[in-house]
Amino acid sequence: MLGVRTVVRIRSYAPAVLLSLCVALGQVIAWFLSIEQALGAVCVLSLLSITRIRRLDPLLSGVLVGLVTGALVTVLHSPVRATRDVSILVRVEESLRRPRTDQVVFVARDLLAPSKHILRCTAVELPWRHSHELRRGSIVWIRGDRSPVLRPLNPFSWDGWLWRNGMSGTFKVRYVSAPLENSKSFMEGARELVAQRVRELVNDGRGGDLFLSMAFGIRDVLSSPVEDAFTALGLKHLLVVSGYQVSLVFAVCSWLAMSLVRNLRFFSRWTRTFSTVWAFCIAVMFVMFIGAEMSALRALVAAACVCTVKIVECSGRYAQRWGVALLIVELLSPWALFDIGVQLTFAALAGIGVGARLGQGSRIRSFFCVTACAWLFTSTVLLAWNGPFSLVGLVLNLLVAVPWSFLNCVVGGLGVVVFLVLGEPGAWIVWLVAGCNEAVATVLMVMSERHGKPLTLQGPWRAGAVLLSFCVAALLSRAACRRPLVAPLVSNQKLLSK
């Protein structure tokens, strides 16, 4: 009875949340079923839906959608044949990554196969193998051993990750030809220009490398000690552009536009719409510039949901927007909830919503509540995955994460634009940001050597910590739902009266 009441309450308060969770359940079930079994389950659920059981109708519809999307992806996926010493013509689909100094990893599409298979290629980076000449859009001949990627039973395994991301096989490259075609997109050329000018300006210093990584997502520019120090202190999410930075850019642009409207004392629905659309367009251009990473695209989807609610109505439930964003991600990328990146993104978004509701009425209290709740929700996910836990990470995320991200993404990004257009004034801004990065990185590396080792929990301690963290998060969410949302409505009424 209590479960039915909870379902009815969630359905009336935020129906998108219930629907997205049911879609996720259907996709989880589809992972462990064959095509025939999935089709049989779809038929059974369709018959149950026809009976129109009112209490179960939304649940059945969501599970049915999840089963259908999962079965559709399974049908469309075609693994390659295992072949030794084969030569194929491919086009590089993504930017190259160098996890080690002697290795290069890239994703390529087989241009000769009828189904245009996607392959994850690994090669030893040697000058005579031409791998240093590869870039996104290059068309080359590669030679080596090809292996298929099959759906494993464990969805969290490495093969499961490859299968969910559309990889038909892996390719161990022994030879790479010189590029037959080396096309470069406009955005890729712009990223290379920005990286080159910033490195020339700051003389390849660590502060400039941190700026390129945190503001523009340019990888493979940081040394291993720096990455290890940030990982130990729970600040690894700052080293790459993710949904955190995209959300920050969108929020700052939206706040600036709304502040300008208030100061001009010219507020109406159309100016509100213009401010929101303008901020979203800036976020879209930012995501296109950094390369449209999946984490950034997820944040962009969430920002689109926020824009829609702001344009259509004066106020909206955050849980409903959260559910809509999750539903869109699930439909675009089935089994996305198996990825830790998706879990962390939506855990952080849920923490932001809960913290904002708990801290409403005071900007200072809201800031600390949002940061603490986002840390708690994401730490719960991290504990469930691998068990590291660091209280130092909470303090640093409260004091460092937001201002440092703002310094690099907003101030530094604006400085680069001014530097490319006007020259010297923007150069001073970039120097300032790089200098601050150097100083903060030095302090953080000293802290990581003394206090940066996180506590790793295993066995029953880990399970107990996950359960305790989840219960605290659930209690905070319940308390947030019970708080009346009055501040936004009052502020909107004051603005409309002006």
Side-chain angles (χ1 to χ4, degrees), residues 334-377:
W335 298 299
L337 279 184
F338 285 140
D339 294 335
I340 184 174
V342 177
Q343 296 173 13
L344 288 174
T345 296
F346 283 93
L349 290 174
I352 291 172
V354 172
R357 179 65 69 88
L358 293 175
Q360 63 179 350
S362 171
R363 293 183 178 180
I364 297 177
R365 185 173 67 240
S366 177
F367 170 78
F368 283 103
C369 287
V370 166
T371 306
C373 289
W375 174 84
L376 174 64
F377 280 58

Side-chain angles (χ1 to χ4, degrees), residues 461-480:
W461 291 102
R462 176 179 171 185
V466 172
L467 180 61
L468 178 61
S469 182
F470 179 81
C471 291
V472 174
L475 290 175
L476 291 177
S477 302
R478 185 178 181 183

Side-chain angles (χ1 to χ4, degrees), residues 437-494:
N437 287 343
E438 186 74 30
V440 175
T442 302
V443 174
L444 292 179
M445 292 188 70
V446 173
M447 291 182 61
S448 67
E449 294 176 358
R450 297 181 179 180
H451 312 288
K453 292 184 179 180
L455 178 64
T456 302
L457 304 176
Q458 299 294 339
W461 291 102
R462 176 179 171 185
V466 172
L467 180 61
L468 178 61
S469 182
F470 179 81
C471 291
V472 174
L475 290 175
L476 291 177
S477 302
R478 185 178 181 183
C481 291
R482 289 185 172 183
R483 293 203 63 177
L485 185 61
V486 296
L489 295 177
V490 173
S491 62
N492 284 338
Q493 290 174 0
K494 291 181 178 180

Side-chain angles (χ1 to χ4, degrees), residues 14-34:
V17 173
L18 184 61
L19 181 59
S20 62
L21 294 179
C22 291
V23 171
L25 176 61
Q27 291 179 352
V28 170
I29 296 174
W31 179 272
F32 300 98
L33 300 179
S34 63

Side-chain angles (χ1 to χ4, degrees), residues 7 11 18-19 22 53-63:
V7 170
R11 182 183 177 184
L18 184 61
L19 181 59
C22 291
I53 305 175
R54 293 184 178 180
R55 290 185 177 182
L56 296 180
D57 191 36
L59 303 179
L60 293 176
S61 300
V63 175

Side-chain angles (χ1 to χ4, degrees), residues 202 207-208 211 407 428-442:
V202 299
F211 169 61
L407 176 67
W428 285 103
I429 299 177
V430 176
W431 279 330
L432 175 64
V433 173
C436 293
N437 287 343
E438 186 74 30
V440 175
T442 302

Side-chain angles (χ1 to χ4, degrees), residues 95-106:
S95 301
L96 277 67
R97 300 180 183 179
R98 292 174 173 83
R100 297 199 307 263
T101 55
D102 60 341
Q103 187 183 59
V104 59
V105 177
F106 58 95

